[in-house]
Amino acid sequence: MKLASLKSGRDGRLVVVSTDLARMLDARDVAPTLQAALDDWAKTAPRLQELSERVNAGHGEAFDQGAVASPLPRAFQWADGSAFVNHVELVRKARGAQMPETFWTDPLMYQGGSDSFLGPRDDILMADDQSWGVDMEGEVAVIVDDTPMGVSPENAREHIRLIMLVNDVSLRGLIPGELAKGFGFFQSKPSSAFSPCAVTPDELGDAWRGGKVHLPLLVRLNGADFGRANAGVDMTFDFGALVAHAAKTRPLCAGTIIGSGTVSNKLDGGPGKPVSDGGAGYSCIAEIRMIETISNGKPSTPFMRYGDRVEIDMLDGDGASIFGRIDQQLSKYDA
């Protein structure tokens, strides 16, 4: 089934959406919000599934992707990993940092801000589009139910209830100075945006296997193809491993979001080539700037500027959007 949150108050109003994203049914009689549904998933899931069958049979009203918040407009926890180590290696090279070998065996993960997610069609508001280095990052994320501390990677997969897409906005100009303090990201990781719908793993069919989503993540920048890296390829740590990593020393409460990190593919043993060259392209600007630096001595692709637009989507085998499309414009923030 597919779930979304209409914009309403702080936590949205839960609706069940048809597979083709055309219709929706109000779910308030089951749970007022997605968080409430996740808090009692064993009881709410069967009733939500009944609504899913009804909406797919033609009941309900039109679904407007522009009227929704992120599926969880705010969450108790948002932890983002770096499962695609190729991306980590490239970005660290870009700022002159060496990558320890342990990054291939022990996932990176940081705790992001989860109190103010952007809606999938909300503007990205920034006070500076020059020195801050505004970048998009196309990712996949999962939402878990209550997950015990010390869970194994295999058992962790059983706690994954929903999957969605992410635009994890990053401020590349602020990251080096912030990490140099030795205390991690904060100002350099502003509010992220998630896809219009969060979907249960069964909606992906055979594309969901081994704790990975085996489909291309489509990224467009200003209307032009930018990347189509496959989210199931070159993912060093599957979502079971990422959830288990997050739960190593603490239990995870229902509604915790775990991100994959920027989806990134290698090509012929090396970094992905631009889409125009027949490769997988990129899910963030930082990667192509690194490739340009390697090839030409300096980057030529700028980070985002006011008015730039990013789109992130994922299609099924028939070419239909699975999660709905993230579609955002960078705009100036005036306090």
Side-chain angles (χ1 to χ4, degrees), residues 141-153:
V142 299
I143 304 175
V144 300
D145 62 7
D146 289 310
T147 304
M149 179 171 65
V151 67
S152 69

Side-chain angles (χ1 to χ4, degrees), residues 28-274:
R28 75 180 78 189
D29 289 341
V30 178
T33 67
L34 180 55
Q35 181 61 53
L38 289 160
D39 285 338
D40 199 9
W41 189 252
K43 291 183 178 179
T44 61
R47 296 177 64 191
L48 291 172
Q49 182 60 44
E50 291 175 3
L51 290 178
S52 178
E53 292 169 4
R54 286 189 61 208
V55 76
N56 281 312
H59 297 279
E61 57 186 298
F63 176 61
D64 178 6
Q65 296 185 34
V68 299
S70 284
L72 285 171
R74 57 178 176 169
F76 290 114
Q77 181 161 225
W78 154 232
D80 199 14
S82 281
F84 297 87
V85 182
N86 177 59
H87 166 77
V88 183
E89 188 173 34
L90 284 174
V91 172
R92 286 179 69 89
K93 281 183 179 179
R95 61 174 188 261
Q98 294 296 316
M99 193 183 80
E101 283 298 315
T102 56
F103 282 20
W104 292 97
T105 56
D106 188 30
L108 281 176
M109 186 170 285
Y110 75 93
Q111 195 168 38
S114 60
D115 56 325
S116 61
F117 294 140
L118 301 175
R121 303 295 172 89
D122 291 349
D123 282 358
I124 302 166
L125 299 176
M126 289 292 147
D128 186 322
D129 73 335
Q130 299 291 321
S131 64
W132 286 4
V134 184
D135 198 358
M136 75 279 193
E137 289 193 63
E139 306 185 13
V140 180
V142 299
I143 304 175
V144 300
D145 62 7
D146 289 310
T147 304
M149 179 171 65
V151 67
S152 69
E154 294 75 17
N155 289 338
R157 293 182 192 173
E158 301 304 314
H159 290 276
I160 295 170
R161 296 303 177 207
L162 297 166
I163 304 167
M164 52 189 178
L165 305 182
V166 193
N167 179 18
D168 179 40
V169 182
S170 294
L171 304 181
R172 303 294 185 188
L174 302 184
I175 287 176
E178 194 160 50
L179 292 187
K181 297 177 181 179
F183 226 51
F185 299 117
F186 196 85
Q187 292 177 337
S188 53
K189 289 290 187 176
S191 298
S192 298
F194 295 84
S195 51
C197 291
V199 312
T200 50
D202 61 286
E203 286 282 344
L204 297 172
D206 292 340
W208 174 252
R209 61 184 186 275
K212 304 177 183 180
V213 178
H214 293 265
L215 288 169
L217 182 70
L218 308 179
V219 180
R220 292 172 63 83
L221 183 60
N222 295 326
D225 291 342
F226 193 81
R228 52 171 178 265
N230 192 303
V233 175
D234 297 320
M235 188 180 188
T236 305
F237 307 101
D238 70 71
F239 277 111
L242 293 178
V243 172
H245 181 85
K248 181 176 181 177
T249 60
R250 70 184 79 175
L252 306 179
C253 76
T256 293
I257 305 170
I258 304 293
S260 67
T262 304
V263 177
S264 178
N265 289 169
K266 293 182 178 182
L267 186 66
D268 298 327
K273 296 180 180 179

Side-chain angles (χ1 to χ4, degrees), residues 252-323:
L252 306 179
C253 76
T256 293
I257 305 170
I258 304 293
S260 67
T262 304
V263 177
S264 178
N265 289 169
K266 293 182 178 182
L267 186 66
D268 298 327
K273 296 180 180 179
V275 171
S276 60
D277 291 342
Y282 309 93
S283 301
C284 71
I285 296 172
E287 280 196 12
I288 192 171
R289 286 172 59 89
M290 186 58 218
I291 300 304
E292 292 167 347
T293 299
I294 293 172
S295 300
N296 308 314
K298 61 180 182 180
S300 57
T301 301
F303 288 115
M304 294 181 72
R305 296 288 184 260
Y306 294 141
D308 283 354
R309 176 183 169 200
V310 58
E311 300 168 79
I312 300 173
D313 205 348
M314 184 175 279
L315 309 182
D316 63 18
D318 296 323
S321 179
I322 298 171
F323 304 91

